Amino acid sequence: MASLLALLTGCSTGKQDGAAPSSSPSQATPAASAAAPATKTVDLLKIAGSNNGYPSPFAFSSSGPFGYLRNSFIFDTLTWKDDKGVIPWLGKSWEVSSDGLTYTFKLEENVKWHDDQPFTADDVVFSFNYYKTYPFNWNGDIGQIKSVEKVNDLTVKFTLNNKYAPFLSDLVGIVPIIPKHIWEKVTKPAEYRDPAALIGTGPYKLSKYDSASGQYLYTANDKFFKGQVLVKEIAYVTASNKLLALQNGEIDETYSVSYADVQTAEKAGLKTIKSEPTGSVVRISFNLEHPQLGDKRLRQALAYALNREEISAKVTGGKPMVGSAGVVPTDSPWYNPKVKQYGYDTAQAEKILDELGYKKNANGIREDLKLKLMTSSAMPDATMMKEMLKKVGIELTLVQLDNAAFTTAMGENKYDIAITGHVGASGDPDYLRLWFSGKAANAYSSRGKSLKLDEFHKLADQQMQEMNETKRHEIVNQMQDILAEELPTLVLYHRPFYEIHKADKFDGWKNTYGGIADGMPLWENKAFLIDAKK
């Protein structure tokens, strides 16, 4: 907490002085839906956090969602989400052409950048063109856009290369608008650290950032166009024991994946919220170029050999939510209830392994099948997997790497099996296309190489262009069927995230419908931190 005091009194580095967010495609939810339920203001809210990088659109960490969230407090998008779905943000309304290829946005009036320069259509056009050269550091498939044109100062027209069903939520609802007058001269955006790099239109300005401790201090933008910012300052601070820090009053809000923490917190009079939908996955990826794991029958045998319900129950402590073989979570509206599944069945696993010719020796070990399981941290899941596979004669060696080495090995296919946990499974199902074509921004969600299944990619392209939701469901169901049969990945279970906070300090937290941006099952949604203008 000493470092927090230093942060609040100005001892920091990489700082910005602050001076110099589903509706139908053609209809927008009223802006008032973004309002927090109460108008009580809070002077300072302290939230447990960690270092997620410099929060410009090009420099925050892509190893998880928190870097994006830190960025979203400063920079705005054309649309956003609240607890009901997609809502207007910088774009106050929009119209869609009959062929689904053109979106015309009317922009909010009298919006100012943090340096008091006016926001106009020029900034929107510039932003999307700039990202084609210098990609945004998260998802948002810019390649779907053919052109962006200025109609007048407060109107822009997007023309797409093809229909794109999640355009409002997963493209213009993710990619932030940046000021032309600042970025047009920047040719190395990832290295740009001038205070102007953090000039946005958002509800907060970054006052301090301590890169050594990973702590941030945000100050409310008193001129925010959507309405009054309810929390005047937000400090993200490090805490070795987040629950204890919360109980001791050192922080006001945190999260956990442990149900035991929830029970402790509620007994202490703290309020909790469970993420719904769950959105977070713990899964294993198979190296399909491995000489043995390239055979889907072996991957299926491994699936039968793992008691995923037991792993989930022991790790999370709550009610198990076993992953679907089709990847889409069972609590998602896009889940295919008829998809093939792999229940715990050691007899079936043994049968397949015997058929594949992996015979046991006198010690019950299949000597010709020795696999390595790579992790990026000490995960109890891995230890349990090792013991479960031993029961069917498979010797599993655990290999733990640091984060950088892990993501490099994933991208270069230098592993046998990898276990990873990440978010992003609660939003639009287009994430299936991104994950398995190696285009996902989250370093832990993608192997970095495309799945070699032509039929899957054909369906993936079809679903993103299908504007009829019923027909799109049918296509996504087929994609799940292919994934369940081929098993390029096996979702072990879904981790429910639990938000824990002091309700007497601030009680405006809610779940975001479908998760923030591209399915982040977290609570740090700026829509709940403002009292929107009616």
Side-chain angles (χ1 to χ4, degrees):
M1 296 308 293
S3 56
L4 168 61
L5 294 175
L7 176 67
L8 296 178
T9 55
C11 298
S12 61
T13 61
K15 50 195 174 296
Q16 194 258 10
D17 60 16
S22 99
S23 49
S24 66
S26 59
Q27 295 181 339
T29 306
S33 67
T39 56
K40 174 186 175 183
T41 60
V42 176
D43 289 334
L44 173 65
L45 199 63
K46 294 172 290 185
I47 303 176
S50 58
N51 188 15
N52 302 111
Y54 189 72
S56 87
F58 306 94
F60 63 80
S61 172
S62 63
S63 62
F66 295 102
Y68 177 89
L69 293 174
R70 303 292 184 270
N71 172 266
S72 72
F73 278 20
I74 302 170
F75 295 90
D76 288 316
T77 50
L78 290 178
T79 67
W80 194 242
K81 288 182 188 173
D82 65 1
D83 55 324
K84 301 295 192 300
V86 174
I87 59 174
W89 210 251
L90 280 174
K92 68 177 182 180
S93 64
W94 52 84
E95 294 180 355
V96 187
S97 62
S98 59
D99 61 7
L101 296 177
T102 302
Y103 289 73
T104 303
F105 285 83
K106 294 289 186 182
L107 305 178
E108 285 281 359
E109 302 175 6
N110 302 315
V111 177
K112 294 291 183 69
W113 294 100
H114 293 159
D115 60 2
D116 284 331
Q117 293 295 309
F119 158 79
T120 72
D122 290 322
D123 297 304
V124 179
V125 174
F126 169 80
S127 296
F128 284 93
N129 288 332
Y130 191 81
Y131 289 129
K132 288 182 179 180
T133 303
Y134 307 105
F136 174 53
N137 206 26
W138 196 249
N139 289 331
D141 196 348
I142 299 292
Q144 301 297 329
I145 300 173
K146 182 177 181 179
S147 65
V148 188
E149 304 171 60
K150 172 183 176 180
V151 177
N152 56 50
D153 281 348
L154 292 174
T155 309
V156 291
K157 182 174 73 172
F158 288 81
T159 302
L160 307 185
N161 292 312
N162 45 252
K163 295 178 183 178
Y164 185 52
F167 177 77
L168 291 173
S169 61
D170 283 26
L171 211 172
V172 297
I174 291 177
V175 178
I177 307 303
I178 57 178
K180 178 182 177 181
H181 66 279
I182 290 173
W183 292 93
E184 61 184 343
K185 296 180 181 179
V186 179
T187 57
K188 295 182 178 180
E191 301 173 12
Y192 188 48
R193 293 293 187 277
D194 188 273
L198 300 181
I199 294 293
T201 58
Y204 288 93
K205 303 175 184 180
L206 184 67
S207 295
K208 308 291 178 186
Y209 167 50
D210 187 330
S211 59
S213 64
Q215 300 187 105
Y216 303 76
L217 179 65
Y218 288 86
T219 303
N221 173 13
D222 292 332
K223 300 178 182 178
F224 186 52
F225 70 96
K226 293 290 284 187
Q228 181 186 18
V229 182
L230 298 175
V231 180
K232 298 308 176 184
E233 288 188 313
I234 295 179
Y236 286 99
V237 302
T238 55
S240 56
N241 186 322
K242 295 183 290 186
L243 187 57
L244 182 60
L246 188 61
Q247 291 174 300
N248 290 341
E250 297 169 358
I251 58 174
D252 305 305
E253 193 259 358
T254 188
Y255 81 93
S256 176
V257 295
S258 169
Y259 185 65
D261 284 350
V262 172
Q263 294 175 307
T264 299
E266 291 181 344
K267 287 180 181 178
L270 298 167
K271 189 169 181 179
T272 64
I273 305 174
K274 181 181 178 181
S275 58
E276 293 179 353
T278 307
S280 175
V281 300
V282 176
R283 64 188 179 104
I284 52 178
S285 290
F286 299 105
N287 182 352
L288 304 186
E289 296 176 5
H290 186 278
Q292 294 167 303
L293 290 166
D295 190 327
K296 70 178 181 182
R297 294 174 295 171
L298 175 55
R299 303 194 294 270
Q300 292 173 348
L302 295 174
Y304 282 120
L306 296 173
N307 188 338
R308 292 179 287 148
E309 183 171 356
E310 179 181 330
I311 295 174
S312 174
K314 288 185 176 180
V315 173
T316 66
K319 182 179 179 181
M321 184 176 173
V322 176
S324 167
V327 178
V328 175
T330 55
D331 66 349
S332 167
W334 295 96
Y335 170 64
N336 176 6
K338 297 180 180 179
V339 74
K340 178 179 181 178
Q341 300 292 0
Y342 298 84
Y344 180 49
D345 189 340
T346 55
Q348 182 64 14
E350 300 252 28
K351 178 177 181 292
I352 296 174
L353 292 169
D354 289 341
E355 290 174 350
L356 289 172
Y358 297 117
K359 303 302 181 183
K360 293 181 179 179
N361 62 18
N363 295 319
I365 300 298
R366 301 176 193 271
E367 291 184 342
D368 295 331
L369 184 60
K370 295 183 179 180
L371 301 171
K372 295 180 180 180
L373 176 64
M374 182 178 74
T375 70
S376 61
S377 61
M379 303 179 74
D381 324 61
T383 303
M384 284 185 272
M385 286 177 59
K386 180 181 176 71
E387 294 303 312
M388 290 174 183
L389 293 183
K390 186 176 181 180
K391 292 179 181 179
V392 297
I394 298 176
E395 192 172 65
L396 191 65
T397 301
L398 305 185
V399 179
Q400 183 179 332
L401 304 178
D402 61 37
N403 290 345
F406 179 89
T407 55
T408 297
M410 288 281 282
E412 296 178 353
N413 267 24
K414 293 180 178 178
Y415 68 98
D416 297 348
I417 307 170
I419 182 171
T420 182
H422 59 89
V423 302
S426 60
D428 189 276
D430 193 49
Y431 68 81
L432 295 176
R433 177 181 66 88
L434 295 172
W435 285 11
F436 297 106
S437 61
K439 295 180 180 178
N442 188 327
Y444 291 108
S445 67
S446 176
R447 291 175 58 244
K449 292 191 176 183
S450 179
L451 182 64
K452 295 178 181 178
L453 289 172
D454 291 343
E455 180 61 23
F456 177 86
H457 294 299
K458 179 181 177 181
L459 291 168
D461 287 342
Q462 287 178 0
Q463 63 78 28
M464 78 172 183
Q465 298 183 49
E466 181 54 68
M467 307 301 284
N468 181 291
E469 189 166 309
T470 300
K471 292 180 180 179
R472 192 170 180 228
H473 265 278
E474 294 172 357
I475 299 170
V476 173
N477 283 349
Q478 294 178 60
M479 292 170 66
Q480 293 176 68
D481 288 335
I482 292 175
L483 292 173
E485 176 62 27
E486 298 294 333
L487 281 188
T489 188
L490 176 67
V491 179
L492 297 176
Y493 59 92
H494 294 277
R495 295 175 300 183
F497 279 25
Y498 302 98
E499 190 271 348
I500 309 173
H501 67 277
K502 298 169 67 175
D504 59 346
K505 188 64 178 288
F506 181 75
D507 197 25
W509 305 112
K510 302 178 185 178
N511 277 311
T512 300
Y513 182 84
I516 299 172
D518 53 345
M520 302 175 190
L522 300 165
W523 300 272
E524 294 164 40
N525 185 335
K526 59 190 174 185
F528 306 142
L529 296 171
I530 64 171
D531 181 20
K533 297 174 182 176
K534 303 298 186 288

